[in-house]
Amino acid sequence: MSMDRNELNKTIAVKKMDLEECEQELYNRYYPTIVRMAMMHYIEVLQQQLESFQDELINL
């Protein structure tokens, strides 16, 4: 299922905001190690998704 340019731009914007928010939370607050590990994993997933959506946008 392919998205159009407008949907991709909206998705990219949401992913970027989510990524920035997660990184700020991770670096500015104390969390137990297991929570930090989960957050770091989620940040990696967001970065991969963001790259994928940006690549898809380029290929439109």
Side-chain angles (χ1 to χ4, degrees):
M1 183 170 125
S2 183
M3 292 188 248
D4 68 16
R5 185 172 297 278
N6 192 33
E7 290 171 318
L8 274 171
N9 282 325
K10 286 179 184 178
T11 302
I12 289 169
V14 169
K15 295 286 181 188
K16 282 182 179 179
M17 286 188 305
D18 199 15
L19 181 60
E20 289 171 10
E21 202 172 295
C22 286
E23 288 175 333
Q24 284 181 350
E25 280 292 307
L26 180 64
Y27 299 123
N28 293 321
R29 292 188 59 189
Y30 170 78
Y31 290 101
T33 301
I34 192 73
V35 175
R36 294 181 70 77
M37 289 173 60
M39 289 175 76
M40 287 188 293
H41 175 72
Y42 184 59
I43 287 170
E44 285 179 27
V45 169
L46 282 172
Q47 289 170 331
Q48 291 169 355
Q49 290 175 343
L50 194 52
E51 282 180 33
S52 174
F53 287 128
Q54 288 172 331
D55 289 345
E56 191 174 333
L57 185 62
I58 290 169
N59 293 323
L60 277 182

